[in-house]
Amino acid sequence: MSKVQIGIKENLLNFLLLVVTNFFVGSMVGLERTILPIIGEDDFGLASASAALSFIISFGFSKAIVNYFAGAIADRLGRKKVLLIGWSIGLLVPLLVIFASSWWMIVVANIFLGINQGLAWSMTVNMKIDISKPTQRGFAVGLNEFAGYIGVAVMAAVSGFVASNFSNRPEPFYIGIVIVIIGFILSLIVKDTEEHLKLQSMSSNNSPFLSAKEVFINTTFKDESLSSITFAGLSTNLKDGMVWGLFPLFFMGVGLTVFEIGVLVAIYPASWGFFQLFTGALSDKIGRKWLIVGGMWLQALSLWMILFVGQYSLWLVAAILLGLGTAMVYPTLQASISDVAQPEWRASSMGVYRFWRDSGYAFGALIAGLLTDILNLNWAIGLVALLPLSAGIIAVIRLNETLPSVNRKT
């Protein structure tokens, strides 16, 4: 135990391995980001937006449910074993898409993708927090999310390029098999963080134990700060579920090529990933609250900008701003959870937060699909933007500053 130290510098090699691992975790999502909505229309003839977005609904709900249980599973099996299980399940995703003869197989593939992401991404976040000091959490989570969403962006662009030069299937998904193999090998090399977690628990001043039910209630609605964070996370990913499903269709409707769509779809998570390098660390210095509020509002404004500009260059700017707004909140929300929750129930609270946050993917796809079928694409995008706007307002009213060195209500 005496050899175990808390801090990024003290655990630099393991920390960097976890960063690289999460790049490949994110790449699994990026593989589908550009082309799967198009496959729904071109390969399977899905005319209904609700039907076409069903793969995101299955992904969102499976990821959300697995997120909720991932912390408890990790407490029993250890973080590293759960990470390896996540990668093992991930192999089913590209194989099912390659051999899919009907749309239900795509939906099932995305259930497995949700499980893969819920286990693997959750563990890379928790393991980084385990080895980081309290004043390094924003930076740690920011770097984790940076790596993951750069993976999303790179693979969204690569898959769009491969699809435009070959076909929508199977060529882009051969890459997915390679991603899984690399991710599994990296996860074998990573060291578990169980001893770091024990060391943090020993120094947590014997905080009261909370049952799973108490953690769920506190994180969902009872605790003002935790519940405000949770609603902001849900709103963010609800918006992202809509973006994932509707942006390729929206830009295809205005006459852009698959490659141009791929660039737009990639620049948003690239911006999201890049700016998290700075926003997470910034939240360690200036506090969490106003980054969250500003980021939620910027997401709403960026979506409305996309609707009201008609030039490719301005769509690029709007996509970058949308990524920036998301980057302002994504690592900050998770760092805030770890500020409030004690080590003994932090993974569980993070699991509840990530359950609601990632259920936003499913709710976003479901709501966006229904609004598109009832109204149209533009109305769906515009109305969904009201959610992050509302979450920002709620954070102004209810969210306490959670950073220990600031720790005041502002």
Side-chain angles (χ1 to χ4, degrees):
M1 182 72 71
S2 59
K3 294 181 181 180
V4 176
Q5 292 180 290
I6 302 296
I8 294 173
K9 184 178 179 181
E10 293 81 355
N11 301 275
L12 187 59
L13 179 58
N14 210 37
F15 186 86
L16 292 176
L17 277 171
L18 287 165
V19 171
V20 175
T21 300
N22 209 48
F23 171 87
F24 290 100
V25 177
S27 296
M28 290 293 290
V29 177
L31 192 65
E32 297 188 345
R33 194 99 184 181
T34 300
I35 55 177
L36 215 55
I38 298 171
I39 287 174
E41 286 198 355
D42 291 353
D43 291 18
F44 296 99
L46 299 178
S48 165
S50 298
L53 271 56
S54 57
F55 77 94
I56 304 175
I57 297 170
S58 67
F59 166 80
F61 280 135
S62 66
K63 185 170 189 272
I65 293 167
V66 171
N67 277 338
Y68 179 70
F69 292 105
I73 296 170
D75 287 340
R76 290 181 174 86
L77 300 181
R79 312 261 204 255
K80 180 172 177 174
K81 287 181 180 177
V82 174
L83 184 60
L84 290 168
I85 293 169
W87 277 117
S88 301
I89 293 170
L91 183 60
L92 296 170
V93 178
L95 293 176
L96 278 168
V97 176
I98 287 170
F99 294 108
S101 56
S102 58
W103 185 248
W104 70 265
M105 293 179 69
I106 302 292
V107 173
V108 171
N110 278 269
I111 293 174
F112 288 120
L113 179 63
I115 297 171
N116 159 259
Q117 296 291 299
L119 295 177
W121 201 311
S122 292
M123 290 308 102
T124 60
V125 170
N126 281 306
M127 291 172 84
K128 285 186 182 69
I129 291 174
D130 290 344
I131 62 181
S132 300
K133 297 174 182 176
T135 54
Q136 297 174 328
R137 288 170 182 159
F139 173 74
V141 177
L143 194 58
N144 187 77
E145 303 303 294
F146 160 79
Y149 284 95
I150 289 299
V152 174
V154 168
M155 206 49 59
V158 169
S159 62
F161 175 79
V162 172
S164 63
N165 284 276
F166 296 95
S167 64
N168 293 337
R169 290 190 304 158
E171 288 84 0
F173 296 93
Y174 291 148
I175 303 170
I177 298 172
V178 177
I179 291 170
V180 172
I181 293 170
I182 295 172
F184 191 88
I185 292 171
L186 286 170
S187 299
L188 283 172
I189 300 171
V190 165
K191 293 181 180 178
D192 211 339
T193 58
E194 181 181 359
E195 296 302 319
H196 299 81
L197 185 61
K198 289 179 181 177
L199 186 60
Q200 286 195 21
S201 297
M202 288 171 61
S203 60
S204 64
N205 299 320
N206 297 317
S207 57
F209 174 79
L210 296 182
S211 67
K213 180 181 178 181
E214 289 172 322
V215 173
F216 185 87
I217 291 172
N218 279 351
T219 308
T220 302
F221 61 84
K222 186 175 180 180
D223 185 282
E224 286 191 351
S225 293
L226 290 176
S227 59
S228 300
I229 292 164
T230 297
F231 183 65
L234 186 149
S235 300
T236 295
N237 275 14
L238 190 149
K239 167 230 53 182
D240 194 46
M242 178 275 293
V243 167
W244 185 354
L246 294 191
F247 270 24
L249 304 179
F250 174 82
F251 291 122
M252 190 165 60
V254 297
L256 299 185
T257 66
V258 173
F259 179 74
E260 289 172 326
I261 295 169
V263 172
L264 280 170
V265 170
I267 201 72
Y268 153 58
S271 168
W272 176 353
F274 173 74
F275 285 117
Q276 285 181 112
L277 271 178
F278 310 100
T279 55
L282 184 62
S283 78
D284 289 332
K285 299 184 183 300
I286 68 170
R288 322 286 193 203
K289 176 173 179 173
W290 292 104
L291 272 175
I292 292 170
V293 172
M296 298 308 299
W297 289 346
L298 182 56
Q299 290 176 65
L301 293 173
S302 301
L303 289 174
W304 289 324
M305 180 179 174
I306 285 169
L307 293 177
F308 293 111
V309 301
Q311 297 179 26
Y312 191 75
S313 59
L314 293 177
W315 281 324
L316 284 171
V317 171
I320 291 170
L321 290 175
L322 184 61
L324 172 60
T326 311
M328 289 168 69
V329 305
Y330 225 72
T332 313
L333 291 168
Q334 293 183 88
S336 295
I337 291 283
S338 61
D339 290 339
V340 177
Q342 295 301 315
E344 293 82 2
W345 50 277
R346 187 173 61 211
S348 296
S349 184
M350 189 76 78
V352 175
Y353 162 74
R354 288 169 66 84
F355 165 77
W356 287 116
R357 187 198 68 184
D358 289 338
S359 68
Y361 282 120
F363 290 128
L366 184 62
I367 292 169
L370 290 172
L371 288 174
T372 300
D373 289 338
I374 295 169
L375 301 170
N376 57 46
L377 273 169
N378 290 39
W379 271 101
I381 294 170
L383 289 174
V384 165
L386 293 172
L387 266 293
L389 180 71
S390 302
I393 294 171
I394 290 171
V396 170
I397 299 169
R398 299 187 76 232
L399 176 61
N400 293 300
E401 177 55 61
T402 65
L403 184 66
S405 60
V406 179
N407 201 19
R408 64 183 184 273
K409 190 163 185 174
T410 53

